[in-house]
Amino acid sequence: MKIKEGYKARWLMDEAVSTTLLDSSGNGLNATTSSTLDSSFNNKGSARKVSATSQGIYRTNILSSYANFTVSTLYKLNSANNVATYQTAILGFTNGGAYGVFIGISASKEIQFYYYDGSAHLVSGSGIFLNQGEWVHLSLTASNGVYKIYLNGVQIHAMTLSHNVGLNFSTCYVNGAYNTYTYIYGSYDDIIIWESTLTNKEIFDVYKYYFKDKKILLQSNNKTYALNYKDVFEPFVMTSYTTPSPYQITSSGDYNSDYACWKAFDGKNTNYTDSWITTNGSPLGWIQVNFGINKVYNQISFTTRNYTDSNTTAPKEFKILGSLDGVSWTELALIQNQTGWKQNETRIFKFNNSIGFQYYRVQITVANSTSYSAIGELVFGYKGVTLVNLPSKSARNFSQYGTTTLTNLNTAIDKTNYALQDIKLKTLTTKQVNKKPLSISFN
């Protein structure tokens, strides 16, 4: 693994002269810093610690266009104060005024997408939380108005915007004054900026460049296996009931077209209209998604409506149901006693499930309101361990499938994937399926 070359700027944090961070890319784009030194990632050199409202890292006019870019860093969250929306920013771009897009960290340590839409400071939560004091790899990409956040090489959030962003890099929100609003305290090492959009694989390769651990494969009865750990949420951005394909969103009824059920899957929760509301006078109802294919999910991120009435319009009790055909339903979870909801609050609910369902439904069974219920955003995800059956103990398989730790083994592994490979070809062709194949063919 290696870092993709052709970057616009790179600050290793070790190369500093007073308040200047020297650019190691050769482009002469030095950054300004008022941060203090900290032990860096893996105790190699020095990192920069942002630990006061007057500290940060900043560089003006680093981009020639904000249409396409990638910024990545090694980051360690040290603490998060009780912050306002615009004070969550830790990594992104600004015009030196209010406009900007950033990775943000909330007071509850949730990774967020922070932006300013011209009239208000807004955040969209990912449902993923950082552990305090743990080094991670963060990336933010832009592709013509589509912004994505990556944690440890894996995409965890996406947003679509259509406004000015700015060309200045900053580790905090800047509103006409240098580093005035820094309330998330953390450490940075090796900030890299590309004026292009890295692919998912390229970002994962950058992450693996830093986190190089010893790998293992398992063998039993002359068969080779790899453990595949997964803890992800899979958001998608709906723009109508059936767009994009193959997703289809339906409900027991919508309050009106402004609060259509697909808005609970639109990838944003910027204001009160980015939500689904049940039919007026019917607070008990359901919302469901048809994924088009069978998907295994065992956790859900539930975000309330971005409005002051969330404490009463968010449900008190709801069920999570799965179905293969949209007719017969299996109850997967009963979530009870959910009170004290806050505006734009995200709660993560985990449940036991190892079956792939095409349809998933959230059914409100007890409401906090007598008028209607509302949901701001729903995202399904999966957390667990799967076993991958490998045809050989090749170096390629070891590199691709070898795991680094033996954890989470206190529960049964009830899902096995099979990696099919044509080892006669000069290039390796791989296809992973979730059941033992009756025959093998390569196209």
Side-chain angles (χ1 to χ4, degrees), residues 348-401:
I348 307 297
F349 302 100
K350 303 181 186 301
F351 51 93
N352 292 324
N353 178 45
S354 59
I355 300 174
F357 293 103
Q358 181 173 332
Y359 301 82
Y360 284 84
R361 174 181 290 186
V362 173
Q363 182 171 334
I364 302 171
T365 51
V366 179
N368 283 312
S369 169
T370 58
S371 300
Y372 53 78
S373 295
I375 299 175
E377 196 72 15
L378 294 173
V379 183
F380 285 92
Y382 179 81
K383 181 177 182 178
V385 181
T386 59
L387 205 60
V388 180
N389 190 327
L390 302 174
S392 67
K393 298 186 289 291
S394 66
R396 181 68 176 267
N397 280 341
F398 185 76
S399 174
Q400 181 174 355
Y401 293 102

Side-chain angles (χ1 to χ4, degrees), residues 90-378:
I90 67 162
L91 187 76
F93 291 89
T94 171
N95 68 350
Y99 284 100
V101 293
F102 288 86
I103 297 176
I105 306 294
S106 73
S108 61
K109 303 179 181 62
E110 180 187 16
I111 301 176
Q112 302 174 324
F113 182 77
Y114 158 74
Y115 60 103
Y116 182 79
D117 70 349
S119 60
H121 301 276
L122 303 166
V123 295
S124 176
S126 68
I128 306 297
F129 295 79
L130 289 182
N131 294 322
Q132 192 166 314
E134 178 182 344
W135 282 101
V136 297
H137 187 262
L138 293 174
S139 298
L140 172 65
T141 68
S143 178
N144 298 312
V146 178
Y147 299 89
K148 297 180 180 180
I149 296 176
Y150 295 78
L151 171 65
N152 290 337
V154 178
Q155 180 188 325
I156 61 171
H157 201 43
M159 281 285 292
T160 301
L161 303 177
S162 59
H163 63 66
N164 175 34
V165 171
L167 307 176
N168 306 319
F169 168 82
S170 181
T171 57
C172 65
Y173 168 74
V174 179
N175 188 10
Y178 175 70
N179 292 328
T180 304
Y181 302 106
T182 301
Y183 288 83
I184 306 296
Y185 299 160
S187 297
Y188 298 81
D189 202 359
D190 205 353
I191 298 174
I192 310 178
I193 297 173
W194 294 263
E195 203 159 34
S196 61
T197 306
L198 268 61
T199 65
N200 289 356
K201 182 181 183 304
E202 288 171 336
I203 289 178
F204 185 77
D205 285 348
V206 175
Y207 155 69
K208 292 302 293 180
Y209 173 85
Y210 301 104
F211 292 84
K212 296 178 180 177
D213 297 323
K214 295 180 180 179
K215 293 187 173 184
I216 58 172
L217 294 176
L218 306 178
Q219 184 168 321
S220 176
N221 296 327
N222 294 322
K223 293 183 179 180
T224 304
Y225 299 93
L227 292 175
N228 183 24
Y229 297 97
K230 192 174 182 181
D231 185 3
V232 298
F233 286 90
E234 298 180 351
F236 50 92
V237 179
M238 298 298 294
T239 57
S240 73
Y241 293 99
T242 57
T243 307
S245 177
Y247 306 112
Q248 297 179 10
I249 312 300
T250 53
S251 72
S252 55
D254 300 341
Y255 189 92
N256 57 39
S257 60
D258 290 334
Y259 305 100
C261 56
W262 62 266
K263 290 192 173 184
F265 295 92
D266 64 357
K268 59 182 180 179
N269 199 35
T270 58
N271 56 55
Y272 61 89
T273 62
D274 294 321
S275 61
W276 170 61
I277 299 181
T278 63
T279 304
N280 192 23
S282 302
L284 305 184
W286 54 264
I287 182 173
Q288 74 180 44
V289 54
N290 176 0
F291 287 95
I293 59 174
N294 291 352
K295 304 278 289 186
V296 180
Y297 290 123
N298 61 8
Q299 58 183 347
I300 186 171
S301 172
F302 190 115
T303 302
T304 62
R305 182 186 184 204
N306 197 351
Y307 195 60
T308 55
D309 66 354
S310 293
N311 63 323
T312 58
T313 59
K316 183 176 182 180
E317 177 182 294
F318 60 91
K319 294 180 179 179
I320 301 174
L321 309 171
S323 175
L324 298 173
D325 55 10
V327 178
S328 300
W329 294 89
T330 300
E331 182 175 325
L332 306 176
L334 174 61
I335 311 299
Q336 297 178 297
N337 301 318
Q338 298 302 306
T339 59
W341 288 98
K342 297 180 177 60
Q343 179 177 343
N344 197 29
E345 178 186 355
T346 298
R347 298 181 184 179
I348 307 297
F349 302 100
K350 303 181 186 301
F351 51 93
N352 292 324
N353 178 45
S354 59
I355 300 174
F357 293 103
Q358 181 173 332
Y359 301 82
Y360 284 84
R361 174 181 290 186
V362 173
Q363 182 171 334
I364 302 171
T365 51
V366 179
N368 283 312
S369 169
T370 58
S371 300
Y372 53 78
S373 295
I375 299 175
E377 196 72 15
L378 294 173

Side-chain angles (χ1 to χ4, degrees), residues 32-35 53-58 172 174 176-181:
T32 301
T33 182
S34 57
S35 58
T53 57
S54 61
Q55 294 181 346
I57 300 168
Y58 187 70
C172 65
V174 179
Y178 175 70
N179 292 328
T180 304
Y181 302 106

